[in-house]
Amino acid sequence: LVTASVDGGPPSSLDIDVAPAAPPTLLGCGSAPVVVQEGASTSIPLVFSGGVEDYPVMKLAWSSPSVVSILNGTDSLLSVATPTSLVLSSPASLRRMVASQLLVYKGAKRGTHAIRFELTGLTELNGTSLGMSEATCSVRVSPTNAKPSFLGDMFWKGDEDALISVRGIVVTDADADDVSLDLVASTGRLLLAAKP
């Protein structure tokens, strides 16, 4: 309600409806995929547009249990985070969480994964929705380069000055990379012969 008078005349009143501040709009994580190595973690660079700093309460939810919030124990967190969501006190808290790299993806399975995020503005904790936006982020988990390894017994014996047949050298590589093998004799000579 606004009351005003013009040039000392009688006051007049006008009711003005003020709409609540709209929540920020979630835009995604940028155009390029987020890249992380298998077994490692990286922050999720969520991007937002609009909204004000102090209102409304924000609920962020995601579709993958590989996304983890490490925001626990701060004043910005209004409820205990579930494995796939959290509720924050304001858009400013949400922006601080992202800027501080406290929302991370743990790369457990190699490949490209699409993760859907939903951002909802609420009047209060467990309150009415003021609007929701969603976006999908692409995360590429690249394999860790594991060293090749030998399988089987790597010890052979024989008589001095006699040929020793070396068989059963097996090399395995978890990444299925091409493997080259160098055989070196520390004493004596090493002869390679094709099987007849």
Side-chain angles (χ1 to χ4, degrees), residues 59 72 76-82 85-89 125-126:
K59 179 179 181 182
N72 294 331
S76 299
L77 193 64
L78 288 185
S79 67
V80 176
T82 71
S85 70
L86 53 78
V87 179
L88 296 162
S89 60
L125 180 62
N126 301 320

Side-chain angles (χ1 to χ4, degrees), residues 5 19 42 141-142 151 165 169 173 179:
S5 63
T42 190
V141 180
S142 58
L151 297 179
S165 179
I169 297 177
D173 185 62
V179 176

Side-chain angles (χ1 to χ4, degrees), residues 139-172:
V139 178
R140 188 172 70 237
V141 180
S142 58
T144 302
N145 189 14
K147 294 180 182 177
S149 60
F150 289 101
L151 297 179
D153 190 3
M154 295 300 294
F155 175 77
W156 299 273
K157 63 181 180 176
D159 295 331
E160 186 177 6
D161 296 327
L163 290 177
I164 300 170
S165 179
V166 175
R167 298 172 193 248
I169 297 177
V170 178
V171 179
T172 182

